[in-house]
Amino acid sequence: MAEPSFPAGPKESKIWKGIFAVAGIMITLVTYGVLQEKIMRVPYGDNKEYFKYSLFLVFCNRITTSAVSAVFLLSSKKALDPVAPVYKYCLVSVSNILTTTCQYEALKYVSFPVQTLAKCAKMIPVMVWGTIIMQKKYMGHDYFLAFLVTVGCSIFILYPAGTEISPYGKGRENTVWGVSLMIGYLGCDGFTSTFQDKLFKGYDMEIHNQIFYTTMCSCIISLSGLILQGQLILAIDFLYRHNDCFFDVVLLSTVATVSQFFISYTIRTFGALTFATIMTTRQLVSIMLSCIWFAHPLSWEQCIGAVIVFGSLYVKTFMRKPPQKPILPEQTQQNGASSPVKENA
């Protein structure tokens, strides 16, 4: 995608670029969150049928992203050949499919606010995988903040307001199965992001090259899973009978793909620090919007848990030190989008 042009003045240009980045991430990812919950938890049609085929959503998202990446690579005349061994792309694909499937399946048993806040605890598995795969070392305050986030998430999950029942399971929403799916999500997501980081550092890899091959592998794996489980025809039949669900799935795949552009643009233009702040704010906005839109009540204990989690995340963000390496003009011109793009937000 071509980057937008802004007013010539450096200050005005940076302000407009900031507005563009924040608005893009907020609109696409907040819309993505609302659509996730609507598709997985709101019944369609007069017979009140639920869409149960989460792997089909993964397939739609990945095939859309793969097509856009292929078009970008071809239009920019960049090589389509794999840079790393194909099995390494497949490793990222498998963990990413498990991540996204757990995310969608969890929505059958826990509410979107619970799921979103639980995602904030991903710093723990990232630290674990970073130590194992990348041999990274973390400071004491990193472990303390991870502990605070865990405490806040635990409070939010263990003290729900009322007895909101899942449309798929019996009992309260914080079922063992729903929490187990979120733990699976966190573990797989931590591995995905860490291994992506290792791929970028180990190979001279362009961002769209990695996206194209990982999403292509994901398409093949998810399509195979749908066929083997006999869900492909059932999912297509459901969309055929419920046009509103069809449009929701198309919009979900579209905003998921477009969000990747805004993520890449924000990291490249403003850096990881600004991006982390925007993403934390986006999660907070998503929870508030979901509570209003889908009428999820929050207990005072959950409010305290949310304050602990988001307070810890903002502290962690502002404690980061921006990179001190000087960037030469010729390096700036030669380097394109070189930051790893996280899928599924």
Side-chain angles (χ1 to χ4, degrees):
M1 294 184 187
E3 292 189 8
S5 57
F6 296 100
K11 187 176 180 181
E12 292 81 0
S13 177
K14 191 162 186 179
I15 290 172
W16 282 109
K17 284 180 179 179
I19 293 172
F20 177 73
V22 172
I25 288 177
M26 287 292 184
I27 291 170
T28 55
L29 292 182
V30 170
T31 302
Y32 179 80
V34 170
L35 286 170
Q36 270 189 89
E37 185 165 15
K38 183 175 186 290
I39 292 169
M40 297 305 298
R41 292 179 65 90
V42 176
Y44 289 92
D46 297 331
N47 295 327
K48 303 295 182 184
E49 295 181 79
Y50 289 94
F51 186 85
K52 301 177 182 179
Y53 315 105
S54 54
L55 194 57
F56 184 79
L57 296 180
V58 177
F59 172 71
C60 292
N61 288 356
R62 300 302 177 265
I63 199 168
T64 305
T65 306
S66 179
V68 171
S69 298
V71 169
F72 179 88
L73 287 171
L74 290 171
S75 62
S76 60
K77 298 181 180 178
K78 293 184 178 178
L80 276 173
D81 298 330
V83 177
V86 175
Y87 79 89
K88 293 194 174 182
Y89 293 107
C90 289
L91 273 176
V92 176
S93 297
V94 170
S95 64
N96 189 260
I97 286 175
L98 290 172
T99 298
T100 315
T101 303
C102 285
Q103 174 180 300
Y104 288 136
E105 285 293 313
L107 278 173
K108 295 178 180 180
Y109 305 99
V110 298
S111 67
F112 181 78
V114 170
Q115 184 215 58
T116 302
L117 202 80
K119 285 182 188 179
C120 297
K122 70 171 64 176
M123 61 192 297
I124 300 163
V126 165
M127 289 169 70
V128 172
W129 286 118
T131 302
I132 296 171
I133 297 175
M134 306 286 287
Q135 284 79 51
K136 287 185 177 180
K137 293 184 179 179
Y138 297 93
M139 304 294 290
H141 64 263
D142 292 319
Y143 291 104
F144 178 68
L145 290 173
F147 171 74
L148 285 180
V149 169
T150 305
V151 169
C153 289
S154 301
I155 292 171
F156 198 91
I157 292 170
L158 293 173
Y159 295 94
T163 56
E164 188 177 1
I165 304 299
S166 164
Y168 292 90
K170 297 178 181 179
R172 300 171 74 89
E173 284 214 328
N174 54 336
T175 60
V176 173
W177 182 233
V179 174
S180 299
L181 284 166
M182 286 310 303
I183 292 172
Y185 163 85
L186 292 170
C188 294
D189 186 56
F191 175 82
T192 302
S193 57
T194 306
F195 200 75
Q196 277 182 320
D197 190 24
K198 188 176 178 66
L199 273 182
F200 272 97
K201 289 180 178 177
Y203 297 90
D204 185 16
M205 184 179 294
E206 205 273 338
I207 178 63
H208 291 280
N209 182 282
Q210 189 192 97
I211 291 176
F212 175 71
Y213 278 99
T214 53
T215 52
M216 273 300 296
C217 291
S218 297
C219 287
I220 295 169
I221 295 168
S222 56
L223 181 60
S224 301
L226 285 168
I227 294 171
L228 290 173
Q229 295 177 53
Q231 292 186 352
L232 181 61
I233 302 301
L234 294 174
I236 293 173
D237 177 66
F238 189 97
L239 297 183
Y240 178 76
R241 290 184 291 107
H242 302 285
N243 290 334
D244 49 345
C245 183
F246 170 77
F247 288 116
D248 285 343
V249 171
V250 170
L251 185 56
L252 180 77
S253 299
T254 302
V255 295
T257 301
V258 173
S259 68
Q260 303 310 307
F261 163 73
F262 286 108
I263 290 171
S264 177
Y265 174 82
T266 303
I267 293 173
R268 187 168 66 252
T269 307
F270 298 100
L273 183 65
T274 301
F275 172 68
T277 307
I278 295 172
M279 288 298 285
T280 301
T281 306
R282 190 273 303 179
Q283 289 173 316
L284 182 58
V285 171
S286 294
I287 289 176
M288 292 171 63
L289 184 60
S290 177
C291 290
I292 295 170
W293 195 306
F294 296 101
H296 296 300
L298 289 180
S299 65
W300 66 268
E301 292 95 342
Q302 285 182 309
C303 292
I304 292 174
V307 169
I308 292 172
V309 170
F310 286 109
S312 301
L313 290 176
Y314 278 118
V315 168
K316 181 178 182 294
T317 298
F318 292 116
M319 283 178 69
R320 286 186 186 176
K321 293 181 181 179
Q324 300 296 322
K325 276 202 243 174
I327 300 174
L328 300 176
E330 57 267 28
Q331 289 177 326
T332 307
Q333 291 171 4
Q334 288 171 2
N335 294 338
S338 57
S339 301
V341 175
K342 195 71 181 58
E343 291 205 27
N344 271 263

